[in-house]
């Protein structure tokens, strides 16, 4: 986007911006099909069956995020089972805002790490328990047991 080619009055200022593009008829093997892109471009590839869709989706070897739009629960679960992506969304976008989940992408996507979410605490924490005897005596492993003599005459006021 430039001053000579704005979009809805936005010319990009001093930044580097591109108009969104949808490319229809993308085929397996096309560069747009085989490369993971992070930009305002999407390729559209036709398929006939769920199995063909899964084969096409897994072909490039990337596995960051995926989504399916369906009203059929069987399709949603078959998609989840067959897709190689680390995130699977049903009827919503793949925003990447799932910071509470252990996620790092699969295949050639992401960084291969699972260092996010509450589970990361276990990766960087060394748990340790400590007990402290203030008696000033050397204790046996099971701790000494004192003989307690009850005061049978004691009463709460």
């Amino acid at each position: 986007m430039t001053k000579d080619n704005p979009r809805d009055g936005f010319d990009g200022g001093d930044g580097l911006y591109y108009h969104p593009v949808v490319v229809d008829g993308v085929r397996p093997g096309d560069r747009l099909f085989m490369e993971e892109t992070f930009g305002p471009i999407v390729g559209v590839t036709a398929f006939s069956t769920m199995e063909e869709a899964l084969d096409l989706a897994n072909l490039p070897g990337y596995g960051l995020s995926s989504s399916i739009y369906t009203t059929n629960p069987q399709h949603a679960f078959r998609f989840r089972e067959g897709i190689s992506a680390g995130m699977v969304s049903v009827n919503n976008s793949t925003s990447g805002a799932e910071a509470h989940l252990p996620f790092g992408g699969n295949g050639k996507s992401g960084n291969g790490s699972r260092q996010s979410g509450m589970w990361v605490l276990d990766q960087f924490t060394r748990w340790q328990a400590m007990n402290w005897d203030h008696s000033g005596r050397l204790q046996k492993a099971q701790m000494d047991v004192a003989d307690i003599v009850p005061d049978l005459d004691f009463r709460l006021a």
Side-chain angles (χ1 to χ4, degrees):
M1 294 180 193
T2 64
K3 290 184 183 0
D4 296 332
N5 191 18
R7 180 172 180 87
D8 297 330
F10 178 72
D11 64 15
D14 294 329
L16 183 59
Y17 297 91
Y18 292 91
H19 292 280
V21 177
V22 177
V23 180
D24 191 17
V26 176
R27 298 177 311 261
D30 288 349
R31 185 173 178 189
L32 181 57
F33 186 94
M34 295 302 293
E35 292 183 7
E36 187 175 50
T37 57
F38 293 92
I41 186 169
V42 63
V44 178
T45 303
F47 61 90
S48 298
T49 66
M50 174 64 77
E51 296 309 312
E52 183 184 5
L54 288 167
D55 289 343
L56 288 168
N58 291 326
L59 180 64
Y62 293 100
L64 189 57
S65 187
S66 64
S67 64
I68 182 173
Y69 287 80
T70 183
T71 57
N72 184 326
Q74 290 177 323
H75 289 169
F77 282 101
R78 176 63 190 112
F79 181 78
R80 188 220 23 101
E81 178 184 275
I83 198 71
S84 294
M87 280 190 289
V88 177
S89 297
V90 179
N91 296 338
N92 61 10
S93 66
T94 62
S95 67
E98 294 82 2
H100 63 291
L101 298 174
F103 173 73
N106 293 332
K108 297 188 288 186
S109 292
N111 58 18
S113 168
R114 299 293 185 254
Q115 295 176 348
S116 60
M118 62 187 227
W119 302 271
V120 77
L121 293 175
D122 289 334
Q123 298 298 316
F124 297 103
T125 303
R126 182 174 64 91
W127 294 100
Q128 187 176 57
M130 182 174 89
N131 64 62
W132 192 331
D133 179 0
H134 292 276
S135 72
R137 296 180 297 154
L138 181 60
Q139 300 286 353
K140 297 176 185 172
Q142 289 77 29
M143 305 299 275
D144 285 338
V145 178
D147 292 331
I148 300 174
V149 179
D151 180 356
L152 299 178
D153 296 324
F154 178 80
R155 297 288 180 264
L156 292 174

